[in-house]
Amino acid sequence: IIFTILPIHEYAHALAARKMGDNTALMHGRLTLNPLAHVDIFGAIFLMLFGFGWAKPVPVNPRNFKNYKKGVAITAAAGPLSNLICATIGIFILNIIYNIPITSEKGYMVAFYIIMALQFFCSINLSLAVFNLIPIPPLDGSKILFAFLPYKAIAFMTKYETIFSLALIFLIFTGGLSTVLGFATNGILNFLSDMALSPVRFFAELF
């Protein structure tokens, strides 16, 4: 998570921001897949101890966007979208591995550990995507929502961002979001699995 999933997520934010006209992330050395540029020490420690952590937020200056609302929304959406793309690729590779005939015990063990790693990779990516799409500040979902809100509503949510953040932390540690997030994650996982399975089945039957 620390050295692959989170850096890809943050890199996607940085890349989208640059495409929308803001070079702040580039100037701060964040337009890179190098995990060391994105790792937050406390976020990494929390992740290892409590299963919940974070990376350094990518610095963005929305004033540089050619279109403010569009730029903010696309930059925010890029992170969760990168997680969905990674999960889709992982699921597709999993379905290919499932259809590979294995005859030796050593081959079975190798495939078993690869499958376990890919399942974890896909699960975390989907969970991160779903979690970040929650429309509560400071998550990406709130910034996507801003594109559809009047400026007064945006100002209100921004003003009380600290309160929203504390409420979010409370929900996380009390398990208040677990059921909803689990339902959404499983739904997306089943959908992506069906999408990835179709071409695999086609080629498996062909050969």
Side-chain angles (χ1 to χ4, degrees):
I1 299 172
I2 295 171
F3 292 104
T4 57
I5 297 174
L6 292 180
I8 291 173
H9 181 99
E10 298 303 329
Y11 171 78
H13 283 312
L15 181 62
R18 188 184 183 191
K19 294 293 184 182
M20 299 308 296
D22 178 39
N23 289 323
T24 305
L26 175 65
M27 292 187 292
H28 283 79
R30 300 296 301 280
L31 189 61
T32 175
L33 286 171
N34 180 359
L36 297 180
H38 304 289
V39 169
D40 181 284
I41 299 299
F42 290 107
I45 292 173
F46 263 71
L47 186 62
M48 290 185 286
L49 293 179
F50 307 110
F52 168 77
W54 58 89
K56 292 179 184 176
V58 168
V60 175
N61 186 353
R63 295 175 183 172
N64 293 327
F65 292 148
K66 299 169 185 176
N67 182 309
Y68 181 88
K69 283 191 173 184
K70 181 180 178 181
V72 169
I74 290 178
T75 300
L81 180 60
S82 71
N83 296 125
L84 290 174
I85 292 172
C86 287
T88 303
I89 294 171
I91 291 170
F92 185 75
I93 295 173
L94 271 173
N95 286 322
I96 292 176
I97 295 174
Y98 286 144
N99 286 274
I100 296 176
I102 300 174
T103 55
S104 68
E105 183 177 347
K106 184 179 289 186
Y108 174 81
M109 290 303 297
V110 170
F112 173 78
Y113 286 114
I114 292 175
I115 288 171
M116 290 289 289
L118 282 172
Q119 286 178 336
F120 181 75
F121 177 79
C122 295
S123 174
I124 294 300
N125 267 294
L126 287 177
S127 297
L128 187 61
V130 171
F131 176 73
N132 273 285
L133 286 173
I134 297 174
I136 299 177
L139 299 179
D140 297 328
S142 66
K143 296 178 177 66
I144 298 172
L145 180 63
F146 286 173
F148 306 97
L149 294 178
Y151 284 105
K152 284 186 177 180
I154 296 174
F156 173 81
M157 294 183 71
T158 302
K159 181 179 179 180
Y160 295 102
E161 181 173 319
T162 302
I163 296 176
F164 284 118
S165 299
L166 292 174
L168 181 65
I169 293 172
F170 175 79
L171 289 173
I172 291 170
F173 282 101
T174 58
L177 293 173
S178 300
T179 302
V180 176
L181 291 179
F183 179 80
T185 301
N186 288 332
I188 297 173
L189 177 61
N190 292 332
F191 173 75
L192 293 178
S193 295
D194 290 339
M195 292 283 289
L197 193 57
S198 297
V200 173
R201 279 177 176 168
F202 173 77
F203 285 107
E205 293 174 0
L206 190 64
F207 296 101

